């Protein structure tokens, strides 16, 4: 192999060029030390998802579908941020939002439920916007939303090229399962979250549910 700086020959075992002293391009930097531990805190998680997204994708041109999903995700992010939510990941037709990170508020459960209701209120206008962009788009978007409050651990994840903080804990899985049990164009919340918003939000029991 040759030096990338002066083109002089370098032995494979050399860490530096013997001619100019440049570091050999094949030397690997040591891996970063793993980050141990994380921050334990209470978080209210919201999952939202489109209803019938598979059917929509089957009869929609991929470029049109991308335009519709971009408009949908952009509006969802705007709405939840208005209530102090932090969108952490979008999964095409769904997304996860943290309420309580990076800033925690005593009323995070109420903020999450209010954001979910606001998303549903925005649906008619969002559908009108999408139909204006895509007059031949033959679907009205519908959503399910799930909210749960619980304890998570927030820790650093990724490499130096893609760093972030991820919440880990069963509270996130529970929020996702609750979303799957929500009625179409409805917000389903856990009993834990319900205790924190009762008296402020009108609630209707969905009864006992066995979730995965």
């Amino acid at each position: 192999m040759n030096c990338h700086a002066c083109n002089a020959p370098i032995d494979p075992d050399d860490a530096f060029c013997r001619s100019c002293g440049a570091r050999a391009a094949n030397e690997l930097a040591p891996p970063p030390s793993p980050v141990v531990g994380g921050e334990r805190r209470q978080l209210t998680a919201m999952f939202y998802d489109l209803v019938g997204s598979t059917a929509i994708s089957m009869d929609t041109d991929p470029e049109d579908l991308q335009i519709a999903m971009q408009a949908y995700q952009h509006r969802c992010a705007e709405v939840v941020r208005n209530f102090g939510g932090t969108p952490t990941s979008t999964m095409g037709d769904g997304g996860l939002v943290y309420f309580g990170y990076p800033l925690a508020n005593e009323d995070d459960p109420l903020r999450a439920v209010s954001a979910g209701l606001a998303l549903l209120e925005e649906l008619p206008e969002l559908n009108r916007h999408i139909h204006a962009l895509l007059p031949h788009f033959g679907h009205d978007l519908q959503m399910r939303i799930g909210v749960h409050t619980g304890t998570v651990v927030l820790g650093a994840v990724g490499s130096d090229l893609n760093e972030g903080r991820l919440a880990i804990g069963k509270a996130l899985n529970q929020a996702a399962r609750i979303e799957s049990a929500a009625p179409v164009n409805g917000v389903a919340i856990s009993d834990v979250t319900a205790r924190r918003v009762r008296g402020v939000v009108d609630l209707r029991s969905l009864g006992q549910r066995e979730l995965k």
Side-chain angles (χ1 to χ4, degrees):
M1 58 179 295
N2 295 328
C3 173
H4 65 88
C6 70
N7 206 38
I10 300 178
D11 292 333
D13 294 333
D14 286 345
F16 299 91
C17 175
R18 298 174 185 269
S19 297
C20 69
R23 183 180 295 274
N26 68 323
E27 186 185 26
L28 298 178
S33 300
V35 178
V36 179
E39 179 184 0
R40 186 181 182 91
R41 67 194 297 172
Q42 180 173 275
L43 191 76
T44 297
M46 171 205 283
F47 268 92
Y48 62 86
D49 198 16
L50 282 183
V51 176
S53 58
T54 301
I56 294 174
S57 65
M58 291 295 290
D59 62 0
T60 303
D61 180 83
E63 291 185 5
D64 290 345
L65 184 64
Q66 181 186 33
I67 292 172
M69 291 300 99
Q70 285 179 339
Y72 157 71
Q73 291 288 13
H74 177 73
R75 190 61 188 134
C76 286
E78 282 185 337
V79 170
V80 299
R81 287 192 180 105
N82 288 339
F83 290 87
T86 303
T88 60
S89 63
T90 56
M91 297 156 278
D93 59 350
L96 168 63
V97 184
Y98 295 163
F99 290 84
Y101 175 79
L103 298 178
N105 299 281
E106 291 184 0
D107 61 345
D108 280 323
L110 179 59
R111 289 170 179 262
V113 175
S114 299
L117 295 173
L119 283 176
L120 298 180
E121 291 178 355
E122 284 290 321
L123 268 181
E125 179 59 33
L126 174 61
N127 281 315
R128 285 192 289 270
H129 174 64
I130 291 175
H131 290 312
L133 292 174
L134 306 168
H136 49 285
F137 186 75
H139 301 276
D140 282 333
L141 302 186
Q142 297 178 306
M143 297 178 68
R144 287 190 177 95
I145 299 170
V147 179
H148 177 60
T149 303
T151 301
V152 300
V153 172
L154 284 154
V157 295
S159 66
D160 56 351
L161 299 178
N162 183 24
E163 293 183 347
R165 286 178 69 81
L166 175 70
I168 299 174
K170 67 179 182 180
L172 303 182
N173 293 331
Q174 288 173 301
R177 301 309 185 198
I178 290 167
E179 177 269 311
S180 68
V184 175
N185 288 343
V187 180
I189 67 177
S190 67
D191 55 350
V192 178
T193 302
R195 288 196 293 269
R196 288 162 169 78
V197 302
R198 184 170 284 116
V200 182
V201 179
D202 291 331
L203 303 175
R204 178 173 60 88
S205 174
L206 295 175
Q208 294 288 333
R209 299 291 182 95
E210 184 173 341
L211 306 177
K212 292 182 181 179

mmCIF file of all heavy atoms in Angstrom, residues 36-79:
data_model
loop_
_atom_site.group_PDB
_atom_site.id
_atom_site.type_symbol
_atom_site.label_atom_id
_atom_site.label_comp_id
_atom_site.label_asym_id
_atom_site.label_seq_id
_atom_site.Cartn_x
_atom_site.Cartn_y
_atom_site.Cartn_z
ATOM 1 N N VAL A 36 -22.230 3.860 30.084
ATOM 2 C CA VAL A 36 -22.893 2.974 31.027
ATOM 3 C C VAL A 36 -23.903 3.774 31.831
ATOM 4 O O VAL A 36 -23.625 4.883 32.272
ATOM 5 C CB VAL A 36 -21.865 2.313 31.968
ATOM 6 C CG1 VAL A 36 -22.563 1.402 32.962
ATOM 7 C CG2 VAL A 36 -20.843 1.538 31.148
ATOM 8 N N GLY A 37 -25.074 3.195 32.047
ATOM 9 C CA GLY A 37 -26.082 3.849 32.869
ATOM 10 C C GLY A 37 -26.951 4.789 32.059
ATOM 11 O O GLY A 37 -26.775 4.987 30.862
ATOM 12 N N GLY A 38 -27.923 5.369 32.718
ATOM 13 C CA GLY A 38 -28.828 6.290 32.068
ATOM 14 C C GLY A 38 -29.627 7.032 33.115
ATOM 15 O O GLY A 38 -29.433 6.871 34.321
ATOM 16 N N GLU A 39 -30.539 7.844 32.635
ATOM 17 C CA GLU A 39 -31.363 8.677 33.509
ATOM 18 C C GLU A 39 -32.732 8.035 33.676
ATOM 19 O O GLU A 39 -33.453 7.829 32.709
ATOM 20 C CB GLU A 39 -31.505 10.074 32.892
ATOM 21 C CG GLU A 39 -32.368 11.012 33.707
ATOM 22 C CD GLU A 39 -32.573 12.343 33.013
ATOM 23 O OE1 GLU A 39 -32.045 12.520 31.896
ATOM 24 O OE2 GLU A 39 -33.286 13.190 33.578
ATOM 25 N N ARG A 40 -33.104 7.750 34.888
ATOM 26 C CA ARG A 40 -34.390 7.142 35.193
ATOM 27 C C ARG A 40 -35.398 8.255 35.464
ATOM 28 O O ARG A 40 -35.159 9.129 36.294
ATOM 29 C CB ARG A 40 -34.252 6.228 36.415
ATOM 30 C CG ARG A 40 -35.497 5.423 36.745
ATOM 31 C CD ARG A 40 -35.250 4.574 37.988
ATOM 32 N NE ARG A 40 -36.393 3.749 38.323
ATOM 33 C CZ ARG A 40 -36.573 2.509 37.882
ATOM 34 N NH1 ARG A 40 -35.652 1.959 37.096
ATOM 35 N NH2 ARG A 40 -37.638 1.822 38.213
ATOM 36 N N ARG A 41 -36.530 8.214 34.767
ATOM 37 C CA ARG A 41 -37.520 9.260 34.973
ATOM 38 C C ARG A 41 -38.891 8.793 34.491
ATOM 39 O O ARG A 41 -39.005 7.806 33.771
ATOM 40 C CB ARG A 41 -37.124 10.541 34.239
ATOM 41 C CG ARG A 41 -37.133 10.441 32.720
ATOM 42 C CD ARG A 41 -36.421 11.605 32.078
ATOM 43 N NE ARG A 41 -37.070 12.869 32.351
ATOM 44 C CZ ARG A 41 -36.551 14.059 32.032
ATOM 45 N NH1 ARG A 41 -35.346 14.108 31.459
ATOM 46 N NH2 ARG A 41 -37.176 15.170 32.272
ATOM 47 N N GLN A 42 -39.902 9.529 34.916
ATOM 48 C CA GLN A 42 -41.261 9.235 34.457
ATOM 49 C C GLN A 42 -41.494 9.927 33.126
ATOM 50 O O GLN A 42 -41.090 11.070 32.915
ATOM 51 C CB GLN A 42 -42.297 9.700 35.471
ATOM 52 C CG GLN A 42 -43.730 9.408 35.045
ATOM 53 C CD GLN A 42 -44.733 9.714 36.133
ATOM 54 O OE1 GLN A 42 -44.992 8.911 37.005
ATOM 55 N NE2 GLN A 42 -45.305 10.904 36.074
ATOM 56 N N LEU A 43 -42.152 9.222 32.240
ATOM 57 C CA LEU A 43 -42.383 9.725 30.894
ATOM 58 C C LEU A 43 -43.796 9.337 30.462
ATOM 59 O O LEU A 43 -44.287 8.264 30.828
ATOM 60 C CB LEU A 43 -41.365 9.100 29.934
ATOM 61 C CG LEU A 43 -41.247 9.677 28.528
ATOM 62 C CD1 LEU A 43 -40.477 10.987 28.583
ATOM 63 C CD2 LEU A 43 -40.515 8.693 27.625
ATOM 64 N N THR A 44 -44.437 10.217 29.727
ATOM 65 C CA THR A 44 -45.698 9.853 29.077
ATOM 66 C C THR A 44 -45.413 9.679 27.599
ATOM 67 O O THR A 44 -44.912 10.590 26.941
ATOM 68 C CB THR A 44 -46.774 10.929 29.297
ATOM 69 O OG1 THR A 44 -47.064 11.016 30.697
ATOM 70 C CG2 THR A 44 -48.058 10.560 28.565
ATOM 71 N N ALA A 45 -45.688 8.481 27.110
ATOM 72 C CA ALA A 45 -45.408 8.156 25.709
ATOM 73 C C ALA A 45 -46.701 8.142 24.913
ATOM 74 O O ALA A 45 -47.728 7.631 25.372
ATOM 75 C CB ALA A 45 -44.733 6.796 25.611
ATOM 76 N N MET A 46 -46.649 8.695 23.719
ATOM 77 C CA MET A 46 -47.777 8.650 22.784
ATOM 78 C C MET A 46 -47.353 7.920 21.519
ATOM 79 O O MET A 46 -46.317 8.242 20.928
ATOM 80 C CB MET A 46 -48.257 10.049 22.404
ATOM 81 C CG MET A 46 -49.289 10.036 21.267
ATOM 82 S SD MET A 46 -49.365 11.558 20.333
ATOM 83 C CE MET A 46 -50.294 12.558 21.474
ATOM 84 N N PHE A 47 -48.131 6.940 21.127
ATOM 85 C CA PHE A 47 -47.983 6.304 19.820
ATOM 86 C C PHE A 47 -49.173 6.704 18.959
ATOM 87 O O PHE A 47 -50.314 6.689 19.424
ATOM 88 C CB PHE A 47 -47.955 4.778 19.939
ATOM 89 C CG PHE A 47 -46.582 4.204 20.065
ATOM 90 C CD1 PHE A 47 -46.018 3.990 21.307
ATOM 91 C CD2 PHE A 47 -45.840 3.867 18.942
ATOM 92 C CE1 PHE A 47 -44.747 3.454 21.435
ATOM 93 C CE2 PHE A 47 -44.576 3.334 19.053
ATOM 94 C CZ PHE A 47 -44.026 3.125 20.310
ATOM 95 N N TYR A 48 -48.885 7.081 17.716
ATOM 96 C CA TYR A 48 -49.980 7.322 16.763
ATOM 97 C C TYR A 48 -49.710 6.514 15.504
ATOM 98 O O TYR A 48 -48.573 6.223 15.148
ATOM 99 C CB TYR A 48 -50.128 8.814 16.444
ATOM 100 C CG TYR A 48 -48.938 9.464 15.778
ATOM 101 C CD1 TYR A 48 -48.767 9.438 14.391
ATOM 102 C CD2 TYR A 48 -47.972 10.115 16.544
ATOM 103 C CE1 TYR A 48 -47.694 10.045 13.788
ATOM 104 C CE2 TYR A 48 -46.883 10.721 15.947
ATOM 105 C CZ TYR A 48 -46.750 10.693 14.581
ATOM 106 O OH TYR A 48 -45.660 11.291 13.972
ATOM 107 N N ASP A 49 -50.796 6.140 14.831
ATOM 108 C CA ASP A 49 -50.658 5.267 13.670
ATOM 109 C C ASP A 49 -51.845 5.489 12.743
ATOM 110 O O ASP A 49 -52.956 5.804 13.201
ATOM 111 C CB ASP A 49 -50.615 3.810 14.126
ATOM 112 C CG ASP A 49 -50.057 2.878 13.064
ATOM 113 O OD1 ASP A 49 -49.428 3.372 12.111
ATOM 114 O OD2 ASP A 49 -50.247 1.661 13.194
ATOM 115 N N LEU A 50 -51.622 5.303 11.455
ATOM 116 C CA LEU A 50 -52.703 5.389 10.481
ATOM 117 C C LEU A 50 -53.495 4.088 10.450
ATOM 118 O O LEU A 50 -52.947 3.002 10.629
ATOM 119 C CB LEU A 50 -52.164 5.662 9.077
ATOM 120 C CG LEU A 50 -51.735 7.079 8.731
ATOM 121 C CD1 LEU A 50 -51.311 7.149 7.264
ATOM 122 C CD2 LEU A 50 -52.839 8.089 9.005
ATOM 123 N N VAL A 51 -54.772 4.207 10.204
ATOM 124 C CA VAL A 51 -55.639 3.041 10.042
ATOM 125 C C VAL A 51 -55.665 2.664 8.561
ATOM 126 O O VAL A 51 -55.840 3.523 7.698
ATOM 127 C CB VAL A 51 -57.068 3.350 10.541
ATOM 128 C CG1 VAL A 51 -57.990 2.166 10.292
ATOM 129 C CG2 VAL A 51 -57.042 3.715 12.022
ATOM 130 N N GLY A 52 -55.467 1.390 8.266
ATOM 131 C CA GLY A 52 -55.561 0.929 6.881
ATOM 132 C C GLY A 52 -54.441 1.389 5.984
ATOM 133 O O GLY A 52 -54.634 1.525 4.767
ATOM 134 N N SER A 53 -53.262 1.591 6.558
ATOM 135 C CA SER A 53 -52.154 2.101 5.748
ATOM 136 C C SER A 53 -51.711 1.117 4.676
ATOM 137 O O SER A 53 -51.260 1.530 3.595
ATOM 138 C CB SER A 53 -50.964 2.449 6.654
ATOM 139 O OG SER A 53 -50.554 1.301 7.384
ATOM 140 N N THR A 54 -51.834 -0.180 4.944
ATOM 141 C CA THR A 54 -51.439 -1.170 3.939
ATOM 142 C C THR A 54 -52.312 -1.061 2.704
ATOM 143 O O THR A 54 -51.817 -1.074 1.564
ATOM 144 C CB THR A 54 -51.526 -2.590 4.528
ATOM 145 O OG1 THR A 54 -50.673 -2.683 5.659
ATOM 146 C CG2 THR A 54 -51.111 -3.621 3.487
ATOM 147 N N ALA A 55 -53.616 -0.928 2.915
ATOM 148 C CA ALA A 55 -54.530 -0.795 1.781
ATOM 149 C C ALA A 55 -54.246 0.485 1.006
ATOM 150 O O ALA A 55 -54.313 0.506 -0.230
ATOM 151 C CB ALA A 55 -55.973 -0.820 2.277
ATOM 152 N N ILE A 56 -53.935 1.556 1.722
ATOM 153 C CA ILE A 56 -53.612 2.816 1.046
ATOM 154 C C ILE A 56 -52.379 2.654 0.170
ATOM 155 O O ILE A 56 -52.343 3.114 -0.985
ATOM 156 C CB ILE A 56 -53.408 3.933 2.083
ATOM 157 C CG1 ILE A 56 -54.712 4.236 2.813
ATOM 158 C CG2 ILE A 56 -52.875 5.205 1.404
ATOM 159 C CD1 ILE A 56 -54.564 5.238 3.949
ATOM 160 N N SER A 57 -51.355 1.997 0.699
ATOM 161 C CA SER A 57 -50.113 1.850 -0.058
ATOM 162 C C SER A 57 -50.276 0.949 -1.274
ATOM 163 O O SER A 57 -49.545 1.089 -2.261
ATOM 164 C CB SER A 57 -49.007 1.300 0.850
ATOM 165 O OG SER A 57 -49.315 -0.008 1.289
ATOM 166 N N MET A 58 -51.231 0.015 -1.222
ATOM 167 C CA MET A 58 -51.402 -0.932 -2.321
ATOM 168 C C MET A 58 -51.941 -0.282 -3.584
ATOM 169 O O MET A 58 -51.646 -0.723 -4.692
ATOM 170 C CB MET A 58 -52.328 -2.071 -1.887
ATOM 171 C CG MET A 58 -51.729 -2.997 -0.831
ATOM 172 S SD MET A 58 -50.299 -3.910 -1.446
ATOM 173 C CE MET A 58 -51.083 -5.039 -2.596
ATOM 174 N N ASP A 59 -52.768 0.759 -3.429
ATOM 175 C CA ASP A 59 -53.362 1.363 -4.624
ATOM 176 C C ASP A 59 -52.973 2.833 -4.797
ATOM 177 O O ASP A 59 -53.714 3.615 -5.402
ATOM 178 C CB ASP A 59 -54.887 1.217 -4.597
ATOM 179 C CG ASP A 59 -55.531 1.924 -3.417
ATOM 180 O OD1 ASP A 59 -54.803 2.530 -2.613
ATOM 181 O OD2 ASP A 59 -56.774 1.881 -3.310
ATOM 182 N N THR A 60 -51.812 3.205 -4.247
ATOM 183 C CA THR A 60 -51.333 4.573 -4.378
ATOM 184 C C THR A 60 -49.941 4.561 -4.976
ATOM 185 O O THR A 60 -49.094 3.744 -4.586
ATOM 186 C CB THR A 60 -51.309 5.281 -3.008
ATOM 187 O OG1 THR A 60 -52.598 5.253 -2.423
ATOM 188 C CG2 THR A 60 -50.861 6.730 -3.157
ATOM 189 N N ASP A 61 -49.700 5.446 -5.930
ATOM 190 C CA ASP A 61 -48.370 5.574 -6.512
ATOM 191 C C ASP A 61 -47.358 5.906 -5.416
ATOM 192 O O ASP A 61 -47.648 6.726 -4.527
ATOM 193 C CB ASP A 61 -48.379 6.689 -7.561
ATOM 194 C CG ASP A 61 -47.017 6.865 -8.211
ATOM 195 O OD1 ASP A 61 -46.714 6.111 -9.149
ATOM 196 O OD2 ASP A 61 -46.262 7.757 -7.757
ATOM 197 N N PRO A 62 -46.177 5.277 -5.424
ATOM 198 C CA PRO A 62 -45.203 5.511 -4.349
ATOM 199 C C PRO A 62 -44.841 6.975 -4.151
ATOM 200 O O PRO A 62 -44.677 7.423 -3.021
ATOM 201 C CB PRO A 62 -43.990 4.685 -4.791
ATOM 202 C CG PRO A 62 -44.555 3.603 -5.651
ATOM 203 C CD PRO A 62 -45.724 4.233 -6.360
ATOM 204 N N GLU A 63 -44.707 7.738 -5.231
ATOM 205 C CA GLU A 63 -44.366 9.152 -5.079
ATOM 206 C C GLU A 63 -45.517 9.910 -4.432
ATOM 207 O O GLU A 63 -45.301 10.778 -3.581
ATOM 208 C CB GLU A 63 -44.017 9.757 -6.438
ATOM 209 C CG GLU A 63 -42.707 9.239 -7.008
ATOM 210 C CD GLU A 63 -42.318 9.946 -8.284
ATOM 211 O OE1 GLU A 63 -43.032 10.902 -8.674
ATOM 212 O OE2 GLU A 63 -41.309 9.560 -8.900
ATOM 213 N N ASP A 64 -46.749 9.594 -4.821
ATOM 214 C CA ASP A 64 -47.910 10.239 -4.199
ATOM 215 C C ASP A 64 -48.003 9.857 -2.723
ATOM 216 O O ASP A 64 -48.328 10.692 -1.873
ATOM 217 C CB ASP A 64 -49.193 9.831 -4.917
ATOM 218 C CG ASP A 64 -49.293 10.424 -6.316
ATOM 219 O OD1 ASP A 64 -48.518 11.357 -6.620
ATOM 220 O OD2 ASP A 64 -50.128 9.953 -7.108
ATOM 221 N N LEU A 65 -47.716 8.612 -2.434
ATOM 222 C CA LEU A 65 -47.762 8.156 -1.051
ATOM 223 C C LEU A 65 -46.718 8.897 -0.216
ATOM 224 O O LEU A 65 -46.993 9.280 0.929
ATOM 225 C CB LEU A 65 -47.520 6.653 -0.986
ATOM 226 C CG LEU A 65 -47.633 6.006 0.389
ATOM 227 C CD1 LEU A 65 -49.048 6.131 0.929
ATOM 228 C CD2 LEU A 65 -47.223 4.526 0.318
ATOM 229 N N GLN A 66 -45.541 9.098 -0.777
ATOM 230 C CA GLN A 66 -44.504 9.824 -0.056
ATOM 231 C C GLN A 66 -44.947 11.257 0.238
ATOM 232 O O GLN A 66 -44.757 11.761 1.347
ATOM 233 C CB GLN A 66 -43.206 9.846 -0.860
ATOM 234 C CG GLN A 66 -42.066 10.571 -0.148
ATOM 235 C CD GLN A 66 -40.838 10.703 -1.010
ATOM 236 O OE1 GLN A 66 -40.940 10.843 -2.229
ATOM 237 N NE2 GLN A 66 -39.668 10.684 -0.399
ATOM 238 N N ILE A 67 -45.569 11.911 -0.728
ATOM 239 C CA ILE A 67 -46.048 13.281 -0.518
ATOM 240 C C ILE A 67 -47.101 13.313 0.583
ATOM 241 O O ILE A 67 -47.073 14.178 1.474
ATOM 242 C CB ILE A 67 -46.611 13.849 -1.833
ATOM 243 C CG1 ILE A 67 -45.485 14.040 -2.853
ATOM 244 C CG2 ILE A 67 -47.339 15.176 -1.592
ATOM 245 C CD1 ILE A 67 -45.964 14.403 -4.245
ATOM 246 N N ALA A 68 -48.023 12.369 0.546
ATOM 247 C CA ALA A 68 -49.084 12.321 1.552
ATOM 248 C C ALA A 68 -48.507 12.057 2.936
ATOM 249 O O ALA A 68 -48.903 12.704 3.923
ATOM 250 C CB ALA A 68 -50.107 11.255 1.181
ATOM 251 N N MET A 69 -47.559 11.124 3.040
ATOM 252 C CA MET A 69 -46.981 10.791 4.340
ATOM 253 C C MET A 69 -46.132 11.942 4.887
ATOM 254 O O MET A 69 -46.101 12.188 6.099
ATOM 255 C CB MET A 69 -46.137 9.524 4.241
ATOM 256 C CG MET A 69 -46.926 8.247 3.999
ATOM 257 S SD MET A 69 -48.158 7.872 5.299
ATOM 258 C CE MET A 69 -49.665 8.494 4.522
ATOM 259 N N GLN A 70 -45.445 12.647 4.006
ATOM 260 C CA GLN A 70 -44.670 13.794 4.464
ATOM 261 C C GLN A 70 -45.576 14.871 5.036
ATOM 262 O O GLN A 70 -45.278 15.456 6.089
ATOM 263 C CB GLN A 70 -43.831 14.354 3.319
ATOM 264 C CG GLN A 70 -42.615 13.508 2.965
ATOM 265 C CD GLN A 70 -41.830 14.084 1.803
ATOM 266 O OE1 GLN A 70 -42.348 14.866 1.002
ATOM 267 N NE2 GLN A 70 -40.570 13.681 1.685
ATOM 268 N N ALA A 71 -46.690 15.137 4.372
ATOM 269 C CA ALA A 71 -47.642 16.134 4.878
ATOM 270 C C ALA A 71 -48.227 15.692 6.208
ATOM 271 O O ALA A 71 -48.382 16.488 7.146
ATOM 272 C CB ALA A 71 -48.753 16.365 3.849
ATOM 273 N N TYR A 72 -48.551 14.420 6.304
ATOM 274 C CA TYR A 72 -49.124 13.850 7.527
ATOM 275 C C TYR A 72 -48.140 13.924 8.690
ATOM 276 O O TYR A 72 -48.471 14.421 9.786
ATOM 277 C CB TYR A 72 -49.534 12.412 7.208
ATOM 278 C CG TYR A 72 -49.654 11.459 8.362
ATOM 279 C CD1 TYR A 72 -50.701 11.556 9.288
ATOM 280 C CD2 TYR A 72 -48.737 10.416 8.523
ATOM 281 C CE1 TYR A 72 -50.801 10.649 10.328
ATOM 282 C CE2 TYR A 72 -48.856 9.508 9.553
ATOM 283 C CZ TYR A 72 -49.880 9.628 10.456
ATOM 284 O OH TYR A 72 -49.988 8.732 11.483
ATOM 285 N N GLN A 73 -46.910 13.470 8.487
ATOM 286 C CA GLN A 73 -45.928 13.465 9.561
ATOM 287 C C GLN A 73 -45.526 14.886 9.964
ATOM 288 O O GLN A 73 -45.299 15.166 11.148
ATOM 289 C CB GLN A 73 -44.691 12.658 9.166
ATOM 290 C CG GLN A 73 -44.918 11.166 9.057
ATOM 291 C CD GLN A 73 -45.101 10.494 10.415
ATOM 292 O OE1 GLN A 73 -45.301 11.155 11.421
ATOM 293 N NE2 GLN A 73 -45.051 9.170 10.424
ATOM 294 N N HIS A 74 -45.445 15.761 8.983
ATOM 295 C CA HIS A 74 -45.083 17.150 9.284
ATOM 296 C C HIS A 74 -46.143 17.790 10.171
ATOM 297 O O HIS A 74 -45.814 18.464 11.157
ATOM 298 C CB HIS A 74 -44.926 17.944 7.983
ATOM 299 C CG HIS A 74 -44.614 19.396 8.193
ATOM 300 N ND1 HIS A 74 -43.384 19.828 8.613
ATOM 301 C CD2 HIS A 74 -45.387 20.519 8.057
ATOM 302 C CE1 HIS A 74 -43.398 21.148 8.724
ATOM 303 N NE2 HIS A 74 -44.595 21.589 8.400
ATOM 304 N N ARG A 75 -47.414 17.560 9.849
ATOM 305 C CA ARG A 75 -48.483 18.148 10.651
ATOM 306 C C ARG A 75 -48.551 17.521 12.033
ATOM 307 O O ARG A 75 -48.772 18.216 13.036
ATOM 308 C CB ARG A 75 -49.831 17.992 9.942
ATOM 309 C CG ARG A 75 -50.944 18.798 10.610
ATOM 310 C CD ARG A 75 -50.610 20.265 10.598
ATOM 311 N NE ARG A 75 -51.539 21.061 11.368
ATOM 312 C CZ ARG A 75 -51.165 22.008 12.220
ATOM 313 N NH1 ARG A 75 -49.882 22.252 12.418
ATOM 314 N NH2 ARG A 75 -52.058 22.718 12.873
ATOM 315 N N CYS A 76 -48.344 16.220 12.120
ATOM 316 C CA CYS A 76 -48.341 15.559 13.425
ATOM 317 C C CYS A 76 -47.246 16.147 14.315
ATOM 318 O O CYS A 76 -47.476 16.418 15.504
ATOM 319 C CB CYS A 76 -48.137 14.057 13.258
ATOM 320 S SG CYS A 76 -49.583 13.168 12.617
ATOM 321 N N ALA A 77 -46.061 16.343 13.762
ATOM 322 C CA ALA A 77 -44.950 16.892 14.538
ATOM 323 C C ALA A 77 -45.268 18.308 15.011
ATOM 324 O O ALA A 77 -44.967 18.679 16.155
ATOM 325 C CB ALA A 77 -43.670 16.878 13.707
ATOM 326 N N GLU A 78 -45.872 19.108 14.151
ATOM 327 C CA GLU A 78 -46.233 20.473 14.534
ATOM 328 C C GLU A 78 -47.203 20.479 15.708
ATOM 329 O O GLU A 78 -47.043 21.230 16.669
ATOM 330 C CB GLU A 78 -46.869 21.205 13.352
ATOM 331 C CG GLU A 78 -45.901 21.701 12.301
ATOM 332 C CD GLU A 78 -46.616 22.518 11.242
ATOM 333 O OE1 GLU A 78 -47.838 22.333 11.073
ATOM 334 O OE2 GLU A 78 -45.965 23.348 10.599
ATOM 335 N N VAL A 79 -48.214 19.627 15.628
ATOM 336 C CA VAL A 79 -49.255 19.611 16.664
ATOM 337 C C VAL A 79 -48.678 19.182 18.004
ATOM 338 O O VAL A 79 -48.908 19.828 19.033
ATOM 339 C CB VAL A 79 -50.419 18.685 16.244
ATOM 340 C CG1 VAL A 79 -51.379 18.466 17.415
ATOM 341 C CG2 VAL A 79 -51.166 19.275 15.057
#
